[in-house]
Amino acid sequence: MREIFPGTRDLAEADLEALYAYRAPEKWLVVNFVSSTDGAVTVDGRSASLSTPADRVIYRLGNDLADVVLVGAGTALIEGFQGMRPDEHSAERRRRHGLAPIPPVAVVTGGGSLRPDAPVITNALVPTIVITHAATDPDLRAAWTAAGADVLVAGTDTVDLRSAVDTLAARGLTRIDCEGGPHLFASLLAADAVDEFRLTLSPFLVAGRAPRPTFGDAIDPARLDLASVLEQDGTLMLRYLLRH
């Protein structure tokens, strides 16, 4: 893998870790997406078909260097999230960076889309954090807790993402890796909670009606600063910093 902006160089693993590190100890929320070159983020509803070996390296770095992995309930169900399971290489990387052995998954839900028996709750090796709002059915919240989840209430009748992110950071989960979906990304942008956008452009064209990385209510255009561009076998990995 090589960097083509801002400089030109071949990158070793240590270089990649330095480039993709979070801005700890301050709160730093990163959003990760893989997209076809014509803007689609799914094929047949899932992102796996768009991923390339280079993208999987970047995706793994996001997981391995994070305190928590943030995801929308719909994406967690569609993509089959079952909690993080670091292999030996990832576990060693986390030890070197002084991170907990396994990062929890934090799932954002307005209520009914996340069943208490969802694998992201019942199969997780560490308690999944379910982020919801106060108007969610109390029986459902109790069922999540009984299934092993840590329920975080943020907001009255909709999820207050700014409050939720601040609460995660107050718990020491300052390195936040968001893996979608598009509705969650749009809502985080509206809450001015995103610090960095990592976009992989895979060398595919898919046409169709697949969603783009953000989908929801329009916002004032968010200005980005290009931080780095990497390339491998036609795949481009871009990092953008958001101006708050």
Side-chain angles (χ1 to χ4, degrees), residues 121 164 232:
I121 295 176
Q232 179 175 297

Side-chain angles (χ1 to χ4, degrees), residues 119-143:
V120 70
I121 295 176
T122 59
N123 291 357
L125 299 180
V126 297
T128 292
I129 302 168
V130 175
I131 300 173
T132 192
H133 53 77
T136 299
D137 184 348
D139 290 338
L140 180 57
R141 285 157 51 187

Side-chain angles (χ1 to χ4, degrees), residues 22 28-32 176-179 194-198:
Y22 294 75
W28 196 255
L29 192 152
V30 169
V31 175
N32 279 284
I176 304 171
D177 176 34
C178 178
E179 297 185 356
V194 180
D195 299 296
E196 183 177 338
F197 179 36
R198 297 174 181 175

Side-chain angles (χ1 to χ4, degrees), residues 190-236:
D192 194 28
V194 180
D195 299 296
E196 183 177 338
F197 179 36
R198 297 174 181 175
L199 175 64
T200 294
L201 287 179
S202 292
F204 302 112
L205 295 170
V206 301
R209 293 176 173 81
R212 61 184 186 178
T214 58
F215 188 83
D217 292 337
I219 61 170
D220 290 335
R223 182 62 185 270
L224 307 175
D225 292 318
L226 183 63
S228 66
V229 181
L230 311 185
E231 187 276 336
Q232 179 175 297
D233 297 329
T235 298
L236 296 178

Side-chain angles (χ1 to χ4, degrees), residues 70-206:
L70 181 67
V71 65
T75 297
L77 297 174
I78 292 169
E79 300 288 348
F81 273 67
Q82 299 189 33
M84 308 311 297
R85 285 170 167 75
D87 60 17
E88 184 177 340
H89 181 81
S90 294
E92 189 276 331
R93 176 183 277 165
R94 293 185 67 81
R95 282 194 298 270
R96 282 193 287 106
H97 288 268
L99 298 167
I102 302 173
V105 174
V107 183
V108 179
T109 177
S113 61
L114 184 66
R115 305 184 314 274
D117 62 351
V120 70
I121 295 176
T122 59
N123 291 357
L125 299 180
V126 297
T128 292
I129 302 168
V130 175
I131 300 173
T132 192
H133 53 77
T136 299
D137 184 348
D139 290 338
L140 180 57
R141 285 157 51 187
W144 286 330
T145 300
D150 174 6
V151 178
L152 188 165
V153 176
T156 304
D157 52 9
T158 59
V159 176
D160 183 335
L161 287 170
R162 169 62 72 175
S163 174
V165 168
D166 288 345
T167 301
L168 291 176
R171 294 182 178 187
L173 305 176
T174 58
R175 304 170 183 89
I176 304 171
D177 176 34
C178 178
E179 297 185 356
H183 287 279
L184 178 57
F185 186 13
S187 297
L188 287 166
L189 285 173
D192 194 28
V194 180
D195 299 296
E196 183 177 338
F197 179 36
R198 297 174 181 175
L199 175 64
T200 294
L201 287 179
S202 292
F204 302 112
L205 295 170
V206 301

